[in-house]
Amino acid sequence: MDINPAVLLIILANVAVSFKGFKDRGFFEQYKFQVGPIVKGEKIRLLASGFLHVDQSHLFFNMLTLYFFADPVINGLGIPKFLAVYFGSLLAGNLFALSFHKKEPYYSAVGASGAVMGVLYAAIMLNPGMNLYMFFIPIPIPAYIFAVGYLLYSIFGMKKQWGNIGHSAHIGGAIGGYILSIVFYPSILVNNKLIVILLAIPIVLMFIFKDKLENN
């Protein structure tokens, strides 16, 4: 398995911190994303929570997704900008979650999903012809269709609070990856104009209906 050293270091960091959290509940509680403590000044949680996971399957899925989508971003932007997309999307995801759940001091979440969603969005914007293969679907799916569909699912999931999932962090991470891709590779606005427009649709809809989404 060929893996870029930067991606390997991120995966190892996630594994190390997550397994520490699995074994040490106090450590997990101290660094998880939780609105109340963050508002009171514990800003380290905005970063640290992105390296904690609920369980091994949660960790595995996030790291597997990162592995598949990291290379297209690295090839298109280089390692420093890939790292900026990863960590920028992680923070964007948690800041968006903080904004959306600001009236819920006990709301908490963990995981690299925001960062991974940002990398996924960036990969698709840089490689609009990318296809995905799902275990339960025998034909390839255009990656942009998956991205738009998953973000729409996250928007409704955020409103309905479906499952024990940080939907708001997914949305914030996608927004981070979308914006940073344009900042780092502005010619994408010309070269991949259609994809840029398509991936913007769920983001624009989310902001248009943000007030209604917050009325739980």
Side-chain angles (χ1 to χ4, degrees):
M1 181 176 67
D2 185 22
I3 184 169
N4 186 281
V7 179
L8 179 61
L9 285 174
I10 290 174
I11 292 175
L12 290 176
N14 272 274
V15 170
V17 175
S18 293
F19 272 82
K20 171 68 174 174
F22 297 157
K23 296 177 181 179
D24 186 343
R25 192 66 191 180
F27 178 85
F28 184 92
E29 293 293 328
Q30 182 179 357
Y31 292 109
K32 72 180 182 180
F33 177 96
Q34 187 170 347
V35 172
I38 293 172
V39 170
K40 291 178 181 178
E42 297 181 23
K43 306 301 184 187
I44 186 64
R45 292 174 182 259
L46 292 170
L47 178 64
S49 62
F51 290 86
L52 290 168
H53 289 81
V54 173
D55 52 35
Q56 292 184 31
S57 61
H58 184 208
L59 171 64
F60 175 77
F61 179 78
N62 272 336
M63 295 303 99
L64 183 66
T65 306
L66 174 64
Y67 169 74
F68 282 125
F69 288 97
D71 277 353
V73 181
I74 292 173
N75 293 337
L77 301 178
I79 292 177
K81 290 178 180 178
F82 160 75
L83 292 173
V85 169
Y86 183 89
F87 287 101
S89 298
L90 190 162
L91 291 174
N94 280 339
L95 288 171
F96 184 83
L98 182 64
S99 172
F100 188 81
H101 297 284
K102 58 184 178 293
K103 297 180 182 178
E104 305 170 54
Y106 295 105
Y107 176 84
S108 62
V110 293
S113 300
V116 172
M117 193 70 178
V119 170
L120 185 153
Y121 242 62
I124 296 170
M125 290 179 71
L126 293 165
N127 299 270
M130 182 184 298
N131 289 317
L132 298 180
Y133 292 85
M134 305 293 183
F135 293 115
F136 50 87
I137 300 177
I139 58 175
I141 300 174
Y144 68 88
I145 291 179
F146 170 82
V148 170
Y150 189 79
L151 206 58
L152 289 172
Y153 160 79
S154 294
I155 291 171
F156 286 104
M158 183 174 65
K159 169 64 177 177
K160 301 295 184 180
Q161 297 185 352
W162 289 337
N164 188 25
I165 299 172
H167 296 289
S168 52
H170 294 176
I171 296 168
I175 294 171
Y178 181 88
I179 293 173
L180 288 169
S181 296
I182 294 173
V183 169
F184 292 145
Y185 197 71
S187 61
I188 203 171
L189 292 171
V190 176
N191 298 336
N192 300 338
K193 184 186 301 183
L194 180 59
I195 293 298
V196 170
I197 293 172
L198 287 173
L199 294 185
I201 290 173
I203 295 174
V204 171
L205 288 174
M206 188 277 304
F207 280 109
I208 290 174
F209 296 106
K210 188 172 185 292
D211 290 342
K212 291 184 179 180
L213 290 172
E214 289 179 338
N215 292 330
N216 293 317

